[in-house]
Amino acid sequence: MKTIEKSLGDYIADRTESLDEEFIGEFFVEYSEEKLSRLLDSEQYIFEGSRGIGKTMLMKYAALKAKESFGKNSVLGVWISFEESIRLERIRVVDSSIDPFLQWTMGKILYEVLTRLIDLKPKNIDKLNERLSSIFGTKITRNYDQYSKLLYKYIELLETGDLEDNRSLKSEAPSVELSNILDNPSSFKKFLKNIIDDFQLTRIVLLFDEAAHVFSHSQQEKFFTFFKSLRDPQIACKAAVYPGITNYGKFFEKGQDAKELSIKWMPNNKENIRYIKDILKKRIQAYDQEYWNKLTVDQTIIETICVCSNGNPRFAFHIIDELESNGSFKLKSIPMQRVINSVRKVLDSKWKEFSTLKNRLVKYKTHIEEAEKLTKEFIIPNLREWNKKQRKANKHLSAGFYLSTSVYDSIPELFEVLAYSNIILIDYTKKSIGHNQYGYYVTLNPSILISDLILRDVREVEKISVSIERNQSYSGATPVFSQLVENLKHQNEYHCSNSKCTFKTNDDSFLFCPKCGNKIGVEESESLYKILRSHSIDNLKLSEKILARLSKKFSNIGEIYDSSIDDIRMKYIQDIRAEKIKNAAVEYMAG
């Protein structure tokens, strides 16, 4: 039974980035042994999956497994988070030879590699002192941590220091040698190879978490160009990305420069459901066996929660958290209507979060607005009506629709932002939908299917069919979609700066007009870092009471983001709550 000290929140902690190795080791549930093996092999991988589907947990577990088996195979697995990257946008670049973002990226990687090496202490660890003294320009006998601290101090300066522009980095770097390594991907790669030789490593595996999402559009392109440059039989890079919205740039090609590895999930796949159920069981039982008993006395309750998760353990945790908040676990048994109401409330929060993406994914603002309108006003009502007719005719039901590739290719951003938010899942296998057209199958998140009565209950999941004849299909001839294509086709249009020239293009690679030679007018947008910092604290995922107390001291998210735990602490907000508030600000800035 639970004690007073225990909190459900400690066991359903959904911010995986902040979980320590002890928690990961105790509560990790294996989803795919094959994917785990690939995260530690010698190949380069783009690891794709929607938000909250378990990429971070799997990567952190892979790093833990590498640590445990290091003495046997000498594979150095290093997990690296880039969630503070948005801070780099504040540094004004006036010297193109110094790139703060690349310096920070390579600095972060080097710091995590050194930290892991020092932790593992291979036999010839003294070689590390020799190697580091050569690049830091100073000799610190046997105290390897001091080198890491010097590097961390520089990383911290890049993130939070009061820098007028990037030219000051020349004097702020710990040494000229280190600057040379962090300025040049080739030099950085050479240094990693030296580390591999020094310690006779089989390879270094770099597990880049949320490598695309937290970076700005331009940072993404730089990162994947850098990612490509590290390719080596002894340096294996794995980058976790979200479907659709990633900008790989002109020099990186998925499939060619890195193989694709993805996590997919279907609500009618019994193995998928069992995986979510095992995660919930392990954590809920550790908290309170009685909670688990009440969730499973009627199997349709736990099945509904698992199906509505859409493969996202975080979403399932939020449903259970909402059940506790509304007092459901105090009842003798949990009514199904309470479960549905909790699903609706968590889904409402998801839609609010989707709407706030306009603040982060500024480039997709109109697409996000149109995507929400399309889903709520057209797709959901149509699908509900379709299933109603299918049910009356005793036919198979639908969980989505077919969309012609021509419509998708005209406005991909609209569907990509929905897939990124785990509101839809897109099967990119082309299938004939008639009239010489091909289409992709688009599935709605099951929490929408259940809460919006497209499916009457979880048992109807077994009646879902993906066959063409049992689903609706939309093409350019569908009025709603033809209008959307027309409305959105000019969103990313660039114009010649010469007012007398009529040249327009959607290709952002054009710097000069091919007709008259003048510059293409690409409007410089405000830094995302500045935009997000200015947002009200009301955007944070915190209770109204906590927000009201915070408002007496903080006016925007940036102020909390820069604050220490001591700064946040106040009456009714002590260490645990202060840390939760700080994490909420960091998560908001990182997305």
Side-chain angles (χ1 to χ4, degrees):
M1 293 294 290
K2 68 176 184 293
T3 61
I4 294 173
E5 292 79 18
K6 282 188 177 183
S7 164
L8 179 61
D10 293 331
Y11 291 85
I12 63 173
D14 61 4
R15 186 169 163 72
T16 316
E17 295 86 350
S18 60
L19 299 181
D20 59 26
E21 288 185 346
E22 184 180 353
F23 190 99
I24 298 284
E26 183 177 356
F27 291 109
F28 177 79
V29 173
E30 193 159 295
Y31 175 71
S32 169
E33 189 176 337
E34 181 240 354
K35 284 184 173 58
L36 183 62
S37 298
R38 292 196 177 204
L39 285 177
L40 292 173
D41 69 17
S42 58
E43 285 285 355
Q44 312 288 93
Y45 281 106
I46 297 298
F47 186 30
E48 188 175 272
S50 56
R51 299 185 78 179
I53 205 164
K55 301 186 298 299
T56 297
M57 192 73 160
L58 191 54
M59 280 188 144
K60 292 195 85 168
Y61 187 71
L64 180 59
K65 295 304 288 181
K67 178 182 177 180
E68 292 173 353
S69 59
F70 180 76
K72 298 177 184 176
N73 57 26
S74 296
V75 172
L76 186 72
V78 185
W79 178 82
I80 301 139
S81 168
F82 292 115
E83 71 178 3
E84 298 286 354
S85 66
I86 195 168
R87 291 184 182 273
L88 279 296
E89 289 200 343
R90 83 191 192 292
I91 302 175
R92 196 160 56 95
V93 176
V94 294
D95 183 347
S96 59
S97 68
I98 306 170
D99 192 321
F101 171 71
L102 285 178
Q103 282 211 4
W104 177 82
T105 301
M106 288 186 260
K108 285 279 287 184
I109 296 168
L110 182 56
Y111 174 76
E112 295 298 345
V113 167
L114 295 180
T115 300
R116 186 58 102 189
L117 265 177
I118 292 166
D119 182 35
L120 289 168
K121 290 185 173 58
K123 290 180 182 177
N124 47 350
I125 187 67
D126 287 339
K127 282 193 175 183
L128 187 60
N129 190 70
E130 181 184 336
R131 182 66 61 191
L132 295 178
S133 65
S134 69
I135 66 164
F136 280 91
T138 181
K139 193 163 186 176
I140 304 172
T141 307
R142 289 187 171 273
N143 196 346
Y144 320 110
D145 282 337
Q146 292 303 312
Y147 290 116
S148 291
K149 287 175 182 176
L150 283 172
L151 182 55
Y152 185 78
K153 192 175 179 182
Y154 185 56
I155 293 168
E156 206 170 37
L157 173 78
L158 287 165
E159 290 176 356
T160 61
D162 186 16
L163 302 168
E164 187 174 338
D165 56 55
N166 68 328
R167 289 173 300 190
S168 59
L169 295 179
K170 286 183 178 179
S171 59
E172 295 287 355
S175 71
V176 174
E177 291 80 4
L178 181 64
S179 284
N180 290 338
I181 287 174
L182 300 185
D183 266 336
N184 189 323
S186 296
S187 299
F188 182 75
K189 180 178 177 179
K190 184 179 178 182
F191 184 78
L192 288 183
K193 291 283 286 180
N194 288 336
I195 291 285
I196 290 168
D197 291 341
D198 285 347
F199 300 104
Q200 299 176 335
L201 302 178
T202 304
R203 61 180 167 274
I204 292 177
V205 178
L206 301 174
L207 299 157
F208 299 130
D209 194 23
E210 312 297 24
H213 168 58
V214 297
F215 295 155
S216 68
H217 198 69
S218 61
Q219 286 175 347
Q220 287 176 30
E221 184 166 350
K222 288 179 184 178
F223 174 80
F224 284 105
T225 302
F226 165 70
F227 180 103
K228 180 179 178 178
S229 74
L230 288 180
R231 192 178 183 94
D232 186 273
Q234 291 181 297
I235 302 173
C237 299
K238 327 283 179 168
V241 303
Y242 291 139
I245 65 167
T246 305
N247 173 32
Y248 294 99
K250 310 174 190 70
F251 308 108
F252 186 92
E253 188 177 340
K254 284 170 67 179
Q256 180 67 36
D257 295 314
K259 293 181 178 178
E260 295 179 63
L261 186 66
S262 62
I263 295 182
K264 293 184 179 177
W265 194 89
M266 288 298 291
N268 53 1
N269 183 311
K270 293 188 183 301
E271 286 300 313
N272 289 171
I273 298 299
R274 188 177 295 115
Y275 166 64
I276 299 296
K277 190 183 290 186
D278 286 347
I279 291 174
L280 299 182
K281 181 179 180 180
K282 201 163 191 176
R283 297 207 203 174
I284 301 300
Q285 282 189 326
Y287 171 63
D288 189 334
Q289 179 64 48
E290 187 59 29
Y291 270 42
W292 182 250
N293 293 343
K294 288 187 177 181
L295 287 169
T296 55
V297 68
D298 177 354
Q299 282 297 310
T300 57
I301 287 176
I302 194 65
E303 290 283 332
T304 299
I305 294 170
C306 291
V307 165
C308 286
S309 75
N310 200 34
N312 182 338
R314 183 181 304 178
F315 196 89
F317 290 147
H318 287 182
I319 295 169
I320 292 169
D321 200 20
E322 178 57 32
L323 284 171
E324 186 186 55
S325 295
N326 65 35
S328 295
F329 288 103
K330 294 177 181 177
L331 303 174
K332 189 175 181 181
S333 61
I334 300 173
M336 178 54 72
Q337 191 55 51
R338 288 265 187 140
V339 176
I340 300 300
N341 291 344
S342 296
V343 171
R344 285 193 179 120
K345 188 154 186 181
V346 176
L347 183 60
D348 284 345
S349 297
K350 191 175 191 68
W351 276 119
K352 287 175 185 174
E353 184 181 310
F354 179 77
S355 186
T356 63
L357 284 177
K358 291 179 290 189
N359 302 327
R360 166 168 290 278
L361 303 172
V362 181
K363 182 181 176 184
Y364 299 100
K365 180 181 178 182
T366 307
H367 294 89
I368 291 165
E369 291 171 347
E370 293 291 354
E372 183 169 359
K373 184 179 176 183
L374 174 73
T375 306
K376 290 182 174 179
E377 297 180 14
F378 180 77
I379 292 171
I380 289 174
N382 272 22
L383 192 52
R384 188 190 298 120
E385 193 58 32
W386 171 271
N387 276 353
K388 188 176 179 181
K389 291 175 182 176
Q390 293 289 99
R391 203 177 282 114
K392 280 185 178 179
N394 200 27
K395 294 181 179 179
H396 281 82
L397 304 177
S398 171
F401 57 93
Y402 280 90
L403 179 73
S404 72
T405 55
S406 61
V407 170
Y408 179 89
D409 292 341
S410 298
I411 47 173
E413 298 91 346
L414 184 143
F415 303 101
E416 288 167 357
V417 292
L418 287 168
Y420 156 74
S421 294
N422 208 355
I423 289 170
I424 64 171
L425 178 68
I426 305 170
D427 181 350
Y428 290 101
T429 307
K430 289 185 181 180
K431 293 185 179 178
S432 173
I433 58 174
H435 305 291
N436 296 317
Q437 293 193 74
Y438 289 88
Y440 301 133
Y441 189 61
V442 180
T443 313
L444 264 65
N445 185 308
S447 64
I448 296 174
L449 300 176
I450 298 289
S451 63
D452 282 284
L453 303 179
I454 294 166
L455 297 180
R456 290 187 303 194
D457 58 58
V458 72
R459 289 166 294 190
E460 288 198 326
V461 168
E462 295 179 6
K463 298 178 182 179
I464 291 172
S465 171
V466 298
S467 65
I468 305 288
E469 62 274 11
R470 288 167 178 160
N471 284 271
Q472 298 171 92
S473 61
Y474 302 123
S475 67
T478 308
V480 167
F481 286 97
S482 62
Q483 189 61 54
L484 268 176
V485 171
E486 182 62 28
N487 292 346
L488 295 173
K489 70 180 181 181
H490 300 299
Q491 286 301 306
N492 297 324
E493 207 168 66
Y494 304 110
H495 300 254
C496 176
S497 57
N498 179 1
S499 59
K500 295 180 181 179
C501 182
T502 58
F503 179 75
K504 298 176 184 178
T505 181
N506 290 319
D507 187 346
D508 62 2
S509 66
F510 278 90
L511 298 178
F512 297 95
C513 176
K515 288 179 72 175
C516 69
N518 280 282
K519 280 189 175 183
I520 293 295
V522 180
E523 190 176 335
E524 192 69 36
S525 57
E526 186 180 4
S527 158
L528 180 60
Y529 177 76
K530 291 180 180 177
I531 293 172
L532 296 181
R533 286 180 60 83
S534 67
H535 289 168
S536 164
I537 62 172
D538 292 338
N539 288 287
L540 298 178
K541 295 179 184 177
L542 299 168
S543 71
E544 290 181 8
K545 286 183 179 178
I546 289 179
L547 288 172
R549 289 181 183 125
L550 287 173
S551 66
K552 296 175 182 177
K553 190 173 183 179
F554 303 100
S555 59
N556 58 47
I557 289 172
E559 292 174 359
I560 296 177
Y561 188 54
D562 291 339
S563 297
S564 66
I565 298 298
D566 288 338
D567 293 332
I568 297 170
R569 197 183 289 113
M570 62 180 77
K571 190 175 182 181
Y572 302 116
I573 295 179
Q574 294 305 308
D575 291 354
I576 294 175
R577 280 182 176 166
E579 189 172 343
K580 183 179 179 181
I581 290 163
K582 177 70 173 179
N583 283 339
V586 170
E587 190 166 359
Y588 184 83
M589 293 292 287

